[in-house]
Amino acid sequence: MRARRMKLVGGLAVAVAVVGGLGATGAAAAPGGGEGPRYTAGAPGAGDAYFPYAGNGGYDVQHYDLDLTYAPPAPEPAPLEGRLDGIATIDLVATQDLNRFNLDLRGMDVRSLTVNGKAATAIAPPAIGATVDGAAYWHVQDDDRRVWELTVQPRPKLKAGQHAQVVVEYGGTTTVPLDIEEAEYGWVTTRDGAIVASEPDGSMTWYPVSDHQTDKASYGFEITVPEGKVVVANGVQSKPEETSGGWTTWFWDAPDQQASYLTTASVGDFDLRETTYSSSGVPIIDAVDTKLSPARLATTNASLARQADMIDFFESRFGAYPFNSFGSIVDNDSVGYALETQTRPVYSSQASQGTVAHELAHQWFGNAVSPERWQDIWLNEGWATYATWLWTEQNGGTTAQQAYNAWYAPARTTAYWSLQIGDPGPLGLFASQVYNRGAATLHALRVEVGDEAFFAATQLWLERYDDSAGTAEDFQAVFEEVSGEDLDGFFQTWLYGQAKPPATWTLP
Ligand code: ARG
Ligand code: ZN
């Protein structure tokens, strides 16, 4: 859960020129014309209005294999910089005839690049507004653009439907990358390793990637660190770690479809604990920093001890846990928030019970079913917050209705009410309104359609968009389908209204 306050909401003029008509057109027709391949460049972004250059077009990634070697910083007074060297092997399928395509990569140097074993050219991105192959390649107008693109020119070119294996050898100095709000994210170098938490577009700081949740893939990790350090990534250890010559290699396997922002491979002095299981058999793999203070360790241990019960409870409301494992990474260092990294959330400094419930709930809401556009972030944070209300009620704490009332009752500023949680802007992704008005929206929806339709529609939403992504409109359509009600007015008021919603929605 977020511990920082946002700096500014909605004040940024984000370039949207590439959205919609993404992708270059206008390459010459194939000889003979008609049905032959028409090779064009893949789009430099996935089409997200908030982050126009996150993700890429023209292909669909199936799998990332990340073979990394990491040396954490030397002790103080050495600078807080690590060294990361990697070989990323990316299996993809072309979705158009491609003469070039992009990967997102930030702050790393590419040493070699092959496509299907043949040397490919890495092209520096053209200047903003440049023309490529006779077509406007991309064009943005604002100065706050965030553009980190690696253009790959495969030879031979790729035909639509063709599988390709892209191998990128790269490396660089790791620091502490900042997101659009200047929060720490990505491969965050710590004195004892790294906290890796990449929402929304920070995976490009540590591997070449199509960094948008509309292109999910499976992952394999082979990560080498100095002997004594522990690497914890998504999924399960595919085989025991191997040590030689003072270095240890850790092997993790994450076979479930996963959005790039949910990838982690955190490095530290972790106590990697013995696996426990939920009553439905989900393996729970926890890693806790050996340097936590006794008080924080006690809080953390008490929270982690509830994970199996939380899985049982959420399964009873939302359906089967969606992935092959769960568990927590608790780092003594902090990025100021926790993140629901898939199967294995990352916590800063300690893990409180409410935050553990929140990050677990994200495995259904956000991870199994992702927001198709970043503007749909309330589907993540509203749901994770609401699920925590439900968990608290289940434990004999305040009821969801009491939590709703406590949110609804107090006087709040005009600025608070005016944030549209259905379109909070790239600087408003983690605004408190997205969390709390988001949860209140779900509670009000439950009152509106009734408990039975609410939980049935929730499960249908999770089933229909599993391993995929959906929008607020898709969500509304599922609730209308199940309840038989027209919910236009409801969602208009709650997601896009800029005032306090009327007191129509209260439970007895
Ligand atoms: N999704 C995280 C959570 O609510 C919060 C991430 C905050 N990220 C950030 N860059 N400020 O659990
Ligand atoms: Zn959250």
Side-chain angles (χ1 to χ4, degrees):
M1 242 189 301
R2 180 176 166 73
R4 298 175 63 250
R5 298 196 52 231
M6 64 178 173
K7 296 200 180 74
L8 172 65
V9 171
L12 182 76
V14 171
V16 291
V18 293
V19 175
L22 274 173
T25 53
E35 305 293 301
R38 291 175 58 89
Y39 294 102
T40 54
D48 195 302
Y50 285 14
F51 302 95
Y53 295 94
N56 299 285
Y59 63 90
D60 181 7
V61 178
Q62 314 291 299
H63 184 78
Y64 293 91
D65 217 76
L66 303 178
D67 180 350
L68 311 180
T69 300
Y70 179 61
E76 280 183 292
L80 189 63
E81 290 176 353
R83 173 76 210 181
L84 184 65
D85 289 290
I87 302 173
T89 303
I90 304 169
D91 294 313
L92 57 80
V93 177
T95 55
Q96 69 187 59
D97 298 327
L98 284 172
N99 56 12
R100 59 180 65 184
F101 60 88
N102 284 16
L103 289 162
D104 304 314
L105 184 62
R106 172 176 168 187
M108 293 276 131
D109 296 318
V110 173
R111 274 195 298 275
S112 83
L113 183 61
T114 63
V115 178
N116 292 332
K118 300 204 173 66
T121 311
I123 311 170
I128 298 303
T131 293
V132 174
D133 287 351
Y137 189 60
W138 64 55
H139 183 71
V140 292
Q141 283 146 349
D142 69 297
D143 294 329
D144 289 323
R145 63 182 186 260
R146 298 167 66 79
V147 184
W148 292 283
E149 298 288 329
L150 165 68
T151 299
V152 181
Q153 182 175 281
R155 289 296 179 266
K157 300 169 190 175
L158 301 178
K159 290 203 180 68
Q162 191 182 336
H163 285 252
Q165 185 165 77
V166 182
V167 179
V168 186
E169 287 190 35
Y170 65 100
T173 299
T174 68
T175 56
V176 177
L178 301 179
D179 70 10
I180 193 170
E181 291 186 84
E182 298 184 351
E184 298 180 0
Y185 84 147
W187 189 279
V188 176
T189 306
T190 57
R191 192 57 67 178
D192 68 352
I195 298 178
V196 184
S198 300
E199 190 182 19
D201 61 347
S203 279
M204 64 175 85
T205 67
W206 60 285
Y207 63 97
V209 55
S210 190
D211 206 353
H212 195 269
Q213 58 276 16
T214 46
D215 191 358
K216 296 185 179 185
S218 54
Y219 284 80
F221 305 88
E222 187 176 325
I223 302 183
T224 302
V225 290
E227 185 177 355
K229 296 292 173 189
V230 176
V231 181
V232 190
N234 311 95
V236 296
Q237 275 188 280
S238 50
K239 56 175 168 166
E241 65 274 17
E242 293 168 2
T243 298
S244 92
W247 293 83
T248 301
T249 302
W250 295 80
F251 304 91
W252 292 86
D253 187 27
D256 297 308
Q257 289 296 300
Q258 180 168 302
S260 54
Y261 75 91
L262 299 169
T263 312
T264 193
S266 293
V267 181
D269 304 320
F270 296 118
D271 169 19
L272 185 58
R273 298 180 175 176
E274 200 172 316
T275 303
T276 59
Y277 295 86
S278 73
S279 57
S280 57
V282 178
I284 300 173
I285 302 163
D286 294 325
V288 178
D289 201 312
T290 56
K291 301 184 295 303
L292 291 197
S293 69
R296 286 175 166 174
L297 183 62
T299 299
T300 296
N301 285 342
S303 306
L304 301 191
R306 304 305 308 277
Q307 291 178 117
D309 290 344
M310 290 176 185
I311 291 173
D312 290 349
F313 174 64
F314 288 153
E315 287 191 322
S316 77
R317 293 294 182 279
F318 307 140
Y321 179 78
F323 305 120
N324 76 345
S325 60
F326 188 62
S328 299
I329 303 171
V330 186
D331 201 298
N332 193 38
D333 284 297
S334 173
V335 292
Y337 55 85
L339 184 65
E340 63 268 23
T341 33
Q342 191 153 302
T343 69
R344 194 125 318 113
V346 173
Y347 301 86
S348 290
S349 310
Q350 65 175 339
S352 70
Q353 190 183 149
T355 307
V356 171
H358 180 108
E359 307 310 339
L360 172 60
H362 271 308
Q363 305 306 311
W364 285 263
F365 300 102
N367 299 11
V369 179
S370 301
E372 186 170 319
R373 312 163 297 206
W374 281 111
Q375 83 166 77
D376 299 312
I377 185 72
W378 76 276
L379 285 168
N380 284 17
E381 302 308 344
W383 259 116
T385 304
Y386 191 58
T388 306
W389 291 4
L390 298 177
W391 168 252
T392 301
E393 174 175 325
Q394 171 74 7
N395 272 274
T398 50
T399 65
Q401 182 63 39
Q402 287 167 334
Y404 175 90
N405 294 345
W407 169 80
Y408 191 81
R412 298 181 190 276
T413 62
T414 311
Y416 182 91
W417 293 117
S418 70
L419 182 86
Q420 298 180 306
I421 63 166
D423 193 6
L427 300 178
L429 286 181
F430 306 112
S432 71
Q433 296 96 314
V434 170
Y435 288 71
N436 298 315
R437 183 173 175 151
T441 299
L442 294 163
H443 189 74
L445 179 62
R446 181 177 162 192
V447 175
E448 174 67 28
V449 302
D451 273 20
E452 201 180 317
F454 179 81
F455 286 105
T458 298
Q459 293 206 12
L460 180 59
W461 163 251
L462 291 168
E463 268 163 42
R464 191 172 284 171
Y465 292 92
D466 185 34
D467 284 343
S468 181
T471 63
E473 291 77 21
D474 296 328
F475 185 78
Q476 180 181 330
V478 168
F479 277 74
E480 289 183 337
E481 180 181 326
V482 171
S483 70
E485 286 184 42
D486 175 352
L487 296 169
D488 261 345
F490 176 89
F491 281 104
Q492 195 55 43
T493 298
W494 281 91
L495 300 184
Y496 309 107
Q498 296 194 275
K500 183 172 184 170
T504 323
W505 293 279
T506 42
L507 278 180

